[in-house]
Amino acid sequence: MSKTYKIAVINGDGIGAEIVPAGVAVLDAVAEKHGITIEKKMFPYGAGYYKAHGKFMADNALEELKGFDAIFFGAVGLPEIDDTLPARDYTFKVRTTFKQYVNYRPVKLFAGLESPLRAKKSEDIDFVVVRENNEGEFVQTGTTMYPDQAEGMAMDTSIFTRFGIERIAHYSFKLARKRKNRVTNVTKSNTLINSLAYWDKVIAEVAEQYPDVEYHKMYIDNASASFVLRPEVFDVILTTNLFGDILSDLGGAIMGSLGLGGSGNINPESEFPSMFEPIHGSAPDIAGQNIANPIGQIWSAAIMLEHLGEKEAAKDIVAGIEHATAQGNLTKDLGGTASTTDIANRVAEFIQTSKTVIA
């Protein structure tokens, strides 16, 4: 019996208007193959909406979005809009309202691509950054006083709770059991001796409940160097909101381009819809040229389907990406000449003509 999923589609800004339709085309192809029904509704939210209405979303947006199974999102931000606003008034608002406390960002070297790390192969670059998504350094609890005066000051306060740390830790250890049974806690508790020492303490307590999973602690400076020198040591990286934001972009770079990175803002309990988006920004400087790399958006579609329980469909999308890159279908950021729509068409054609991938 066909399953039906309601998906909210939000292009956002810049290249979102090109890469999201590319991702939707692949979604439609894989849905047809697997007998899945996807009911889509478009929403115009983002910085463009802000320019027209003075807000990033309609007043009832979150209430309406709550009724969907997932949100398929592009990117938010325009150069003429204050760049502190999109995170506060769109991204963080969605992530916290819908308790999307897991930011899941896989890093993988696709077939046919050469990493900037010249000695590393696909078996060396295959891990997941699990970023705590609702607490930590990005809670925006702080103040600015007398900003234009000599005594001006600004302060942001990080917030780490036992509840928040435990739930992201349990998610990470359970994920590791499905992968290579290794969790690396990336921290900086030798200098942030209150917040991140507590983070480490709680994670270590959770680790004791998973004796079958290898557990390591690594400081952020060492982890950053290890991404470049020895990425093969990583499986599941468990880290904070700020560190995860930075490390996942570094992960995109060692794959070959930020345009390759997909992600999910996940509410594991499915009490609320999760939101799936590429790791990069809106790139307005290349918008409208049909040259943006849609693979991060397409991979986000696979992550979305996996979260919804459609694992075989998700595998088909990843296989389609691998086929496209292996055949040399590369966009400008990867040194190729393929357009955004070319990549989407290649992936969709592979899905439609290939047998279902069963791993």
Side-chain angles (χ1 to χ4, degrees), residues 7-10 20 23-24 27 70-74 276 297 300-301 304:
I7 307 298
V9 179
I10 304 175
V20 173
V24 167
L27 264 177
I71 302 165
F72 193 54
F73 172 58
F276 301 85
Q297 189 77 55
S300 298
M304 178 174 73

Side-chain angles (χ1 to χ4, degrees), residues 6-144:
K6 292 178 61 181
I7 307 298
V9 179
I10 304 175
N11 289 350
D13 305 303
I15 59 172
E18 297 155 80
I19 60 172
V20 173
V24 167
V26 172
L27 264 177
D28 287 342
V30 82
E32 181 181 1
K33 178 178 178 179
H34 288 267
I36 301 166
T37 300
I38 297 180
E39 296 178 355
K40 301 179 291 289
K41 183 173 180 178
M42 299 287 298
F43 293 90
Y45 303 143
Y49 190 88
Y50 177 85
K51 286 173 66 176
H53 303 281
K55 49 195 171 188
F56 281 78
M57 295 182 283
D59 291 338
N60 67 335
L62 293 173
E63 188 60 35
E64 186 171 5
L65 290 171
K66 189 189 299 182
F68 287 82
D69 295 301
I71 302 165
F72 193 54
F73 172 58
V76 63
L78 291 171
E80 61 268 31
I81 302 299
D82 180 351
D83 66 2
T84 66
L85 297 179
R88 187 192 72 185
D89 293 343
Y90 177 78
T91 312
F92 292 170
K93 188 172 288 188
V94 172
R95 290 172 178 173
T96 55
T97 300
F98 293 150
K99 297 184 180 179
Q100 297 167 352
Y101 61 86
V102 172
N103 191 260
Y104 175 96
R105 296 191 171 191
V107 177
K108 171 183 172 66
L109 185 58
F110 287 110
L113 296 183
E114 288 187 3
S115 169
L117 310 179
R118 65 185 182 274
K120 301 302 180 183
K121 305 300 180 185
S122 57
E123 59 269 22
D124 300 316
I125 301 175
D126 183 9
F127 57 86
V128 178
V129 177
V130 176
R131 165 189 173 191
E132 198 291 315
N133 214 28
N134 282 173
E135 298 186 350
E137 305 91 343
F138 286 179
V139 293
Q140 299 190 334
T141 299
T143 189
T144 303

Side-chain angles (χ1 to χ4, degrees), residues 20 24 28 40 54 91 104 108 116 124 147 169 188 195 208-209 216 246 286 290 298 316 320 334 349 357:
V20 173
V24 167
D28 287 342
K40 301 179 291 289
T91 312
Y104 175 96
K108 171 183 172 66
D124 300 316
K188 192 60 179 172
S195 59
E208 291 178 0
Q209 302 174 46
H216 301 273
I246 297 167
I286 61 168
N290 198 28
I298 294 169
D316 266 358
L334 294 169
E349 287 168 7
V357 177

